[in-house]
Amino acid sequence: MADGTAGREIAVIGAGQMGNGIAHVFAQSGFDVAMLDVSDAALQRGMQTIEKNLDRQVKKGALDAAAKDATLGRLSAHTDLAAVAGAELVVEAATENVDLKFKLFGDLDRLAGDGAILASNTSSIAITEIAARTKRPEQVIGMHFMNPVPVMQLVEVIRGLATTDATTAKVMELSRTLGKTPVEVNDYPGFVANRILMPMINEAVYCVMEGVGTPEAIDTVMKLGMNHPMGPLTLADFIGLDTCVAILEVMHKGLGDPKYRPCPLLRKYVAAGWLGRKSGRGFYSYAS
């Protein structure tokens, strides 16, 4: 447990892949965490994922059984958004949908305490626009964790136009408390991580579409030639092809440059329901 975290409350909106990972790392670092979602089933799946990931840490010797039990004891699950009331930080990790996030932040602004910081884990949507849906834009910030959250060290901290130095400093400090490395960036579509990553993934899909190489060949070139731990098409499947399309569309609209236009083959896979690992098929098959 990190020093000075006892009794400090965090709320995480969303129990999916990113949400349960964010809840996991905060709870493991000593914070009391309320994880919220619209459905009990999603919350149950999220809690099961956290427990499974904690078991993996215990098996590897990174955590003992007592720490695992203590982490689970700091987590609570809620379907009522009012559970954010006591949190000093609310981290939104809902679906990458502009309208949904805008509505959520209006509701969070109304329900969270006056001093609470409202953070979004958005991959690409403008923090300034999200903040404008609240009456506290100076306390709204981007807190973009990488997937899988318990493993990846980076937190991209995105300042909106109105975000204050004090808000930024607190989020940087909280990120370090989690054992992460925060990097401060400014608010442009895609920020840094996805502005560089998504065009690479998109170009890899064009290479498949144009017959330049198979997914296996393209990924092998990038792994062995560029020393990437994972090829871009494997990574796209891991992220979710629908999420990749959503991020590219935000950058295409926000920056107006055709280089961000999603590849037609990427759109076709999404239309077919081939979303990557989560659907069992993307550029690779994940059928058991």
Side-chain angles (χ1 to χ4, degrees), residues 43-57:
L43 287 165
Q44 187 175 355
R45 286 192 301 271
M47 287 293 194
Q48 287 169 348
T49 299
I50 292 170
E51 186 161 11
K52 182 175 70 175
N53 288 336
L54 286 167
D55 283 337
R56 187 177 292 118
Q57 288 176 280

Side-chain angles (χ1 to χ4, degrees), residues 7-49:
R8 297 176 69 180
E9 295 182 31
I10 305 294
V12 178
I13 312 300
Q17 192 174 44
M18 295 305 295
N20 71 60
I22 295 166
H24 174 155
V25 296
F26 271 107
Q28 189 177 328
S29 296
F31 295 88
D32 293 324
V33 180
M35 186 167 68
L36 296 92
D37 208 297
V38 291
S39 87
D40 285 317
L43 287 165
Q44 187 175 355
R45 286 192 301 271
M47 287 293 194
Q48 287 169 348
T49 299

Side-chain angles (χ1 to χ4, degrees), residues 15-259:
Q17 192 174 44
M18 295 305 295
N20 71 60
I22 295 166
H24 174 155
V25 296
F26 271 107
Q28 189 177 328
S29 296
F31 295 88
D32 293 324
V33 180
M35 186 167 68
L36 296 92
D37 208 297
V38 291
S39 87
D40 285 317
L43 287 165
Q44 187 175 355
R45 286 192 301 271
M47 287 293 194
Q48 287 169 348
T49 299
I50 292 170
E51 186 161 11
K52 182 175 70 175
N53 288 336
L54 286 167
D55 283 337
R56 187 177 292 118
Q57 288 176 280
V58 171
K59 189 174 181 180
K60 288 180 177 179
L63 203 67
D64 62 33
K68 172 202 159 183
D69 292 341
T71 297
L72 290 172
R74 296 186 199 104
L75 287 158
S76 59
H78 308 266
T79 54
D80 187 348
L81 208 57
V84 304
E88 66 176 273
L89 171 71
V90 182
V91 183
E92 170 273 316
T95 305
E96 192 74 350
N97 177 284
V98 172
D99 293 335
L100 173 62
K101 290 187 190 291
F102 285 174
K103 183 183 184 307
L104 262 175
F105 271 79
D107 291 339
L108 292 172
D109 186 41
R110 178 171 49 84
L111 294 167
D114 291 342
I117 292 172
L118 306 181
S120 178
N121 184 58
T122 179
S123 304
S124 57
I125 298 167
I127 300 302
T128 300
E129 291 189 34
I130 291 173
R133 270 64 192 178
T134 75
K135 295 177 181 175
R136 63 177 91 190
E138 68 284 352
Q139 292 164 235
V140 178
I141 197 165
M143 200 174 187
H144 182 207
F145 289 83
M146 304 294 123
N147 186 27
V149 180
V151 175
M152 300 294 279
Q153 290 302 300
L154 176 67
V155 179
E156 204 174 18
V157 177
I158 305 106
R159 293 184 70 134
L161 194 61
T163 309
T164 62
D165 290 344
T167 295
T168 305
K170 186 168 184 182
V171 168
M172 298 285 279
E173 176 204 343
L174 284 167
S175 300
R176 293 187 190 100
T177 301
L178 303 179
K180 305 298 185 188
T181 300
V183 176
E184 182 183 335
V185 304
N186 285 318
D187 188 23
Y188 287 90
F191 318 129
V192 170
N194 282 313
R195 184 154 177 186
I196 294 170
L197 173 64
M198 285 300 151
M200 181 182 72
I201 286 174
N202 206 37
E203 197 63 28
V205 181
Y206 271 109
C207 286
V208 175
M209 186 178 79
E210 294 167 8
V212 179
T214 64
E216 292 85 356
I218 293 160
D219 279 354
T220 300
V221 166
M222 296 305 291
K223 286 190 292 182
L224 301 185
M226 313 307 162
N227 203 28
H228 291 192
M230 183 185 296
L233 298 168
T234 300
L235 181 55
D237 275 356
F238 187 72
I239 293 167
L241 304 190
D242 52 338
T243 301
C244 292
V245 168
I247 295 168
L248 284 162
E249 285 177 337
V250 168
M251 292 196 295
H252 187 210
K253 180 180 177 183
L255 296 166
D257 193 320
K259 72 182 178 184

